Amino acid sequence: MNRELRLALSFFFLAFPFFVKGQVGFPYCESFSDGNTQATTVFGGTAKLVDGALRLTEAETNQNGYVYIDVPFSSAYGVKASFEYFMYGGSGADGLTVFLFDSETRNFQPGGFGGSLGYAQKDDVPGLTGAYLGLGFDSFGNFSNSNENRNGGFLGGSTARFPNSIILRRGGIGFNGYDFVNGKITFDPPPGNANIALDVEFQFPLSSGGFGTTRVEDLNQPGYRKVFLELEPHPNGVGYLVKLEMVVTTVQNEPRTITILAGTAFTFEAPKNLKIGFAASTGGETNIHEIKNLLLEVSNQEGLLNPQGVDFSDIVSCEGQENQYFITDEEVVLPNENSEIRCLQFYRSLEEVEEETGDLCAQGKCKEDTRELILPEGTLRAGESGGDYTFFPNEGFAGQSVTVYYTITDTYGKSSTGNAMTLKIHESPEPVNIYVEGLPDLVDEVKLCGGETVDLISVGNDSYGRYEWYKDDVLIDGAESMKYTVHDAGEYSVKAYNRNCPAISNSILVSFPEFPEFEFVSPIISCTPGESVDVTLGIVNYDPVTYDYKLFGKGQTYLDDEMKEVFLSGEYSLQVKHADLDCYSSPEPLQISIPEEGLVADFEFEIQGTGVKGEEDGGFFPDDIFQFTDRSSRDAVSWNWDLGDGSVSNEKNPSHVYGKKGDFDVTLIVTNEFGCKTTVIKTVSILRSYRLMFPTGFTPLASENRFFVPKSKGLVSGELLIFNTWGDLIFQTDDLMTQGWDGKLEGKLLNAGIYVYRYNGLATDGENVTKTGKFKLIR
């Protein structure tokens, strides 16, 4: 590629995001030993990092833990995985699984735990989402049977337990699948079942020890276990041949490599990309379950080739500015299927390149310390996309060249052997400035209304033969003159050329600000007839400095603080805009309500059912039931009563008994639908504690008025005594409910004439009541 053209393509690659996590693709190495995970690692349940290992469960009951590595890898060449596992410190259950699942899976969920080891379905719990393969190391012995709705197992799906079993299950969806494929019992098989177990001389327990034991990390110590799992592409082109070997130490200093599965056909089509994870569980029995030193590789390493770079010479760079470049897939050779440049690394010499070739994990990593190379002449940095990089030449090196070496690493972790890259440093011209046409001063930002455009002009101190305009650091195709008309939001810059190095401009931001979101209250109410309303109080976060507001309706227009006094009711529209722009937002309806008549609060009161409204009607007594009747405006919708003695009510027409004498100020507050309130206060005066009234005569022979009896109220006891004019007692009763005297003595009606009464009573408030008088018996 022409070096000037390469420079002209700068910024283009920023359209391709790529986030370096330290390792992406093969080989994938994760030791779990430094207290941090190297890549995106998702922990779930009881999983955590402990003492240099990934611990999935403690030696406690009912532990469920899982981890998956959120980094996809291609399934095209098969997979090799190796890791150390540790089961110890408990009574020997349940076990762990290594699982592979589709990298496109969203909302990852493990399967059922317990006997399903976080992979298969269990009763009413579905299996692992996106599952492709599950390999269970089952100390307790349920992963190999058909209990809990699992499909298939040893001996045709027997429900018996098969401890110390390594079981291969296929993928599934929900409650379907996760079928048994193959397996081996590694230790002490049930009698008569040697055909499903390892040969006796190769048998070993999956767990390295019981209560009180510790992690065994020394290859030569009994209890050490390491797994080598390989999924070799199947000869028929679908699925894999599954090979499983383990390094096992049961006798000190005598580690053995044992073949568990020599090549089980797993003829199920694999998704394009996979992810790997681990799960473990305990139930009523326990164990610590851990893994470490995970390594993922391509199975068919022989089918992979190293990428081939090319030597670049005379790459043009410009002093004192960041120069950006991109090595395309077409410029180098990427021989492996579906591969691309994963990362770019820089070195001072070929010797530095060669130092890393012996470390498999180092080859596969995009190491941060080789992605930046600081030299006296300047700094090289690998970019965020596979083949992009920048070079910033330091001042004072114009006219010089610098040669470095680079490697490219592809998706499968295969790296090139190192190639030279020579960068020639040119002097940078004075920068140019971008002006907004019609404005004399430089500005950092231009704000536009929708549909508007702005002309930007490049101004410099030289004659320029060519211009390149950029939007958001991306070259604008065809924008090659000193003026550019902007239609879209973005950050704009220009490069002006009259030689190899461009004059670089300032940047200017062009934006089309969205109309500010603003909330307001509608309707806006005045509670007083003829009183104006302040609309600004109804606008949330009203800010007339940053924004302009416009209210219009009823033939009137109000701007900003003019909205503080609006006198006419009706339908209005409200708009807002940025103070430095001319365009308003779409009008929003707003209602203003100013009443023609004010809200009035009023009420009446009387003794319930009597029509007694005051002293003129006989007065009020403590035990009277007062009925309060609302007489407020029709638009009142709520009523709040304070009845003067601490009692309150929200009823429209409440009733109340005071139970004592006194003056009680009754307050009524009424509210209309708009929240307007008004108040009225009236006084209830209870002056008497009782009432006692005697007739002046009675007619015992008539059909009416046949008894002499007083009318009373407010008494708790009373005694009525009747005397003749000589003072003789002729009638006596203390019954408050008595019919009274019928005019007879010993059954004989007395003569007409004048008689005398006396009444002794007690009022409800404790007052003694005594009353005497004369009356006539009429015949």
Side-chain angles (χ1 to χ4, degrees):
M1 178 183 288
N2 179 278
R3 299 302 153 223
E4 287 73 15
L5 178 58
R6 182 189 305 280
L7 187 62
L9 289 176
S10 62
F11 295 110
F12 176 76
F13 59 83
L14 293 180
F16 304 93
F18 180 90
F19 301 99
V20 176
K21 296 292 187 180
Q23 171 121 26
V24 179
F26 284 2
Y28 180 85
C29 305
E30 178 61 270
S31 69
F32 301 108
S33 62
D34 61 358
N36 294 293
T37 53
Q38 182 185 153
T40 303
T41 304
V42 180
F43 289 75
T46 57
K48 57 188 175 182
L49 295 175
V50 178
D51 297 331
L54 171 61
R55 181 170 295 178
L56 296 167
T57 72
E58 301 285 356
E60 299 174 2
T61 58
N62 301 314
Q63 297 270 292
N64 301 320
Y66 68 88
V67 164
Y68 70 88
I69 311 301
D70 195 17
V71 176
F73 52 85
S74 172
S75 61
Y77 290 85
V79 180
K80 286 198 297 188
S82 65
F83 59 92
E84 296 172 305
Y85 82 72
F86 312 94
M87 295 185 193
Y88 64 95
S91 56
D94 278 318
L96 67 85
T97 54
V98 53
F99 55 80
L100 299 175
F101 66 102
D102 188 344
S103 69
E104 296 298 320
T105 299
R106 299 292 181 266
N107 301 317
F108 174 90
Q109 291 293 330
F113 282 95
S116 292
L117 301 184
Y119 181 75
Q121 69 273 59
K122 179 186 178 185
D123 296 329
D124 58 350
V125 178
L128 178 85
T129 52
Y132 177 67
L133 177 149
L135 184 66
F137 296 79
D138 185 14
S139 178
F140 192 68
N142 274 326
F143 194 62
S144 54
N145 64 28
S146 59
N147 290 335
E148 302 169 324
N149 291 328
R150 286 181 293 275
N151 293 328
F154 283 135
L155 306 182
S158 168
T159 59
R161 285 196 304 113
F162 299 91
N164 291 295
S165 298
I166 298 179
I167 303 301
L168 179 65
R169 287 185 177 271
R170 63 173 294 188
I173 300 175
F175 295 96
N176 298 313
Y178 311 95
D179 302 334
F180 176 92
V181 176
N182 199 358
K184 285 290 183 179
I185 299 175
T186 69
F187 186 70
D188 194 19
N193 292 292
N195 60 314
I196 59 175
L198 296 176
D199 291 341
V200 174
E201 64 269 26
F202 298 118
Q203 290 183 9
F204 65 94
L206 294 177
S207 179
S208 65
F211 292 113
T213 57
T214 59
R215 183 192 306 160
V216 179
E217 300 182 73
D218 186 343
L219 171 67
N220 293 305
Q221 294 299 317
Y224 179 82
R225 307 285 186 264
K226 185 169 184 177
V227 174
F228 294 88
L229 171 65
E230 180 174 2
L231 275 63
E232 177 185 304
H234 197 281
N236 70 7
V238 178
Y240 302 100
L241 294 176
V242 179
K243 301 177 180 180
L244 177 64
E245 292 184 339
M246 289 183 62
V247 173
V248 176
T249 305
T250 55
V251 177
Q252 189 168 358
N253 296 321
E254 294 183 14
R256 297 178 294 160
T257 299
I258 299 174
T259 298
I260 312 297
L261 302 175
T264 294
F266 196 83
T267 54
F268 309 105
E269 186 173 357
K272 180 179 178 181
N273 293 296
L274 294 165
K275 294 179 183 177
I276 190 168
F278 298 85
S281 61
T282 66
E285 305 293 332
T286 65
N287 248 342
I288 293 173
H289 296 91
E290 299 173 331
I291 63 168
K292 67 182 300 184
N293 294 327
L294 170 65
L295 171 62
L296 295 178
E297 305 174 71
V298 170
S299 173
N300 184 15
Q301 286 287 343
E302 295 75 12
L304 295 177
L305 299 174
N306 287 327
Q308 297 175 24
V310 296
D311 292 338
F312 294 111
S313 61
D314 296 331
I315 299 175
V316 173
S317 66
C318 301
E319 181 185 52
Q321 60 181 269
E322 188 171 67
N323 303 268
Q324 304 188 3
Y325 312 96
F326 191 81
I327 299 175
T328 66
D329 293 352
E330 291 76 20
E331 289 180 297
V332 297
V333 177
L334 298 172
N336 300 316
E337 180 183 351
N338 296 324
S339 70
E340 55 189 39
I341 298 175
R342 191 172 86 210
C343 66
L344 182 64
Q345 300 179 88
F346 297 108
Y347 304 87
R348 287 179 172 83
S349 66
L350 285 175
E351 288 74 19
E352 289 185 0
V353 177
E354 294 168 356
E355 287 176 3
E356 293 194 346
T357 59
D359 184 342
L360 180 63
C361 288
Q363 289 180 48
K365 291 179 181 176
C366 299
K367 299 196 303 181
E368 291 301 320
D369 58 354
T370 56
R371 293 175 60 78
E372 179 180 78
L373 183 59
I374 300 175
L375 303 167
E377 295 86 353
T379 300
L380 275 159
R381 288 189 181 89
E384 294 181 343
S385 188
D388 70 272
Y389 64 100
T390 65
F391 179 50
F392 191 102
N394 296 326
E395 299 284 350
F397 289 92
Q400 299 186 32
S401 296
V402 60
T403 298
V404 299
Y405 295 86
Y406 75 95
T407 63
I408 54 174
T409 302
D410 73 1
T411 311
Y412 300 98
K414 306 301 287 185
S415 296
S416 62
T417 56
N419 292 90
M421 176 184 290
T422 300
L423 300 107
K424 188 174 182 180
I425 303 171
H426 287 253
E427 182 180 3
S428 295
E430 292 293 322
V432 294
N433 290 314
I434 298 178
Y435 285 84
V436 175
E437 189 173 49
L439 296 181
D441 299 321
L442 290 171
V443 296
D444 295 326
E445 183 178 4
V446 177
K447 295 180 181 179
L448 301 177
C449 295
E452 292 183 342
T453 63
V454 63
D455 290 328
L456 304 181
I457 301 175
S458 173
V459 178
N461 297 322
D462 207 340
S463 296
Y464 306 100
R466 181 167 59 91
Y467 296 86
E468 291 176 350
W469 287 89
Y470 293 83
K471 173 181 175 288
D472 299 328
D473 293 333
V474 177
L475 181 67
I476 303 171
D477 187 33
E480 299 176 351
S481 66
M482 66 179 296
K483 182 166 75 172
Y484 180 70
T485 301
V486 174
H487 298 82
D488 302 313
E491 188 170 14
Y492 290 83
S493 61
V494 67
K495 291 181 178 181
Y497 289 87
N498 64 358
R499 44 187 153 169
N500 289 324
C501 287
I504 298 176
S505 73
N506 60 306
S507 62
I508 184 169
L509 181 65
V510 177
S511 63
F512 293 81
E514 294 184 2
F515 292 110
E517 294 185 4
F518 71 112
E519 299 179 4
F520 57 89
V521 176
S522 180
I524 295 177
I525 306 298
S526 170
C527 294
T528 304
E531 182 182 72
S532 67
V533 296
D534 184 348
V535 175
T536 67
L537 296 178
I539 300 174
V540 178
N541 298 324
Y542 175 69
D543 180 4
V545 175
T546 307
Y547 307 112
D548 289 335
Y549 303 84
K550 180 167 68 174
L551 178 74
F552 59 93
K554 307 297 289 183
Q556 302 291 321
T557 298
Y558 305 86
L559 300 177
D560 297 328
D561 286 352
E562 293 175 357
M563 297 187 297
K564 290 181 179 291
E565 291 188 344
V566 179
F567 288 91
L568 296 177
S569 292
E571 298 290 335
Y572 289 79
S573 293
L574 183 63
Q575 293 177 289
V576 65
K577 73 176 183 68
H578 293 274
D580 52 356
L581 293 178
D582 295 328
C583 46
Y584 278 95
S585 65
S586 299
E588 298 286 342
L590 183 148
Q591 182 181 359
I592 294 176
S593 178
I594 301 174
E596 295 181 0
E597 296 181 359
L599 178 66
V600 175
D602 193 18
F603 66 90
E604 296 178 350
F605 58 89
E606 65 178 31
I607 304 305
Q608 193 177 70
T610 66
V612 175
K613 297 184 178 182
E615 283 299 312
E616 65 277 8
D617 301 321
F620 303 137
F621 297 87
D623 58 349
D624 284 340
I625 301 174
F626 284 82
Q627 180 66 56
F628 297 93
T629 304
D630 174 64
R631 299 293 186 223
S632 303
S633 303
R634 290 184 178 180
D635 56 344
V637 296
S638 68
W639 299 263
N640 292 282
W641 296 83
D642 180 342
L643 298 173
D645 64 346
S647 299
V648 296
S649 175
N650 292 321
E651 296 180 20
K652 183 178 180 180
N653 301 305
S655 59
H656 187 58
V657 175
Y658 286 94
K660 59 183 177 182
K661 292 190 293 184
D663 292 328
F664 303 96
D665 293 329
V666 178
T667 302
L668 170 62
I669 301 173
V670 295
T671 307
N672 65 15
E673 62 176 321
F674 302 117
C676 297
K677 299 178 183 294
T678 189
T679 303
V680 64
I681 300 174
K682 295 185 179 182
T683 301
V684 173
S685 296
I686 302 176
L687 305 178
R688 315 176 186 191
S689 60
Y690 69 94
R691 178 190 296 129
L692 186 63
M693 295 185 296
F694 284 87
T696 58
F698 75 114
T699 54
L701 296 178
S703 59
E704 296 180 357
N705 196 25
R706 294 175 50 224
F707 297 92
F708 179 79
V709 65
K711 293 182 177 180
S712 66
K713 188 173 185 178
L715 298 179
V716 295
S717 65
E719 180 186 35
L720 174 65
L721 299 100
I722 305 296
F723 301 90
N724 59 24
T725 53
W726 292 279
D728 298 323
L729 179 65
I730 56 178
F731 179 81
Q732 185 272 336
T733 182
D734 60 4
D735 182 4
L736 288 176
M737 305 302 295
T738 182
Q739 286 185 325
W741 182 44
D742 57 4
K744 296 178 182 179
L745 178 64
E746 296 179 352
K748 181 179 180 181
L749 182 65
L750 299 182
N751 295 326
I754 301 298
Y755 293 85
V756 178
Y757 68 85
R758 187 173 74 197
Y759 196 90
N760 301 313
L762 182 66
T764 56
D765 64 350
E767 181 180 350
N768 290 315
V769 177
T770 301
K771 191 169 184 178
T772 60
K774 295 179 181 180
F775 65 95
K776 289 182 180 180
L777 188 156
I778 303 172
R779 298 184 60 175

